[in-house]
Amino acid sequence: MNKQGVGRWCGIGSLLCIVLYVISFFVMRGPDVDIYLIISLGGVLSLLGIVLAIVSTVLLKRFVYLVIGLLGNGAVLACSFLLLLAMGISEP
């Protein structure tokens, strides 16, 4: 595979991290769900997505995947942080 192919797949992988988190967030819901699993999954997927967006930009020299990847994965990371903050406040 050439650099453009690898860069394109890294960009798609960055967007796929966002989609996987949103799907897992809505699938794993209810009163008996482990919220810390959702928080850690969101953190790991968002950091992986940010790294893939940066690699895609370095290889392709296009900023489309970087902008969309950073905004989307940054939003996922912010949601995970807010969930972690809410869980920390709610526990005695």
Side-chain angles (χ1 to χ4, degrees), residues 17-59:
C17 288
I18 301 167
V19 171
L20 285 176
Y21 177 73
V22 169
I23 289 172
S24 68
F25 185 78
F26 285 116
V27 167
M28 295 189 296
R29 61 183 180 153
D32 57 344
V33 69
D34 185 16
I35 192 72
Y36 291 111
L37 175 68
I38 295 174
I39 292 170
S40 62
L41 183 69
V44 168
L45 281 176
S46 67
L47 291 177
L48 178 69
I50 289 170
V51 168
L52 286 175
I54 292 171
V55 168
S56 172
T57 302
V58 168
L59 291 177

Side-chain angles (χ1 to χ4, degrees), residues 4 27 42-43 55 63 72 82:
Q4 281 78 24
V27 167
V55 168
F63 294 103
L82 290 174

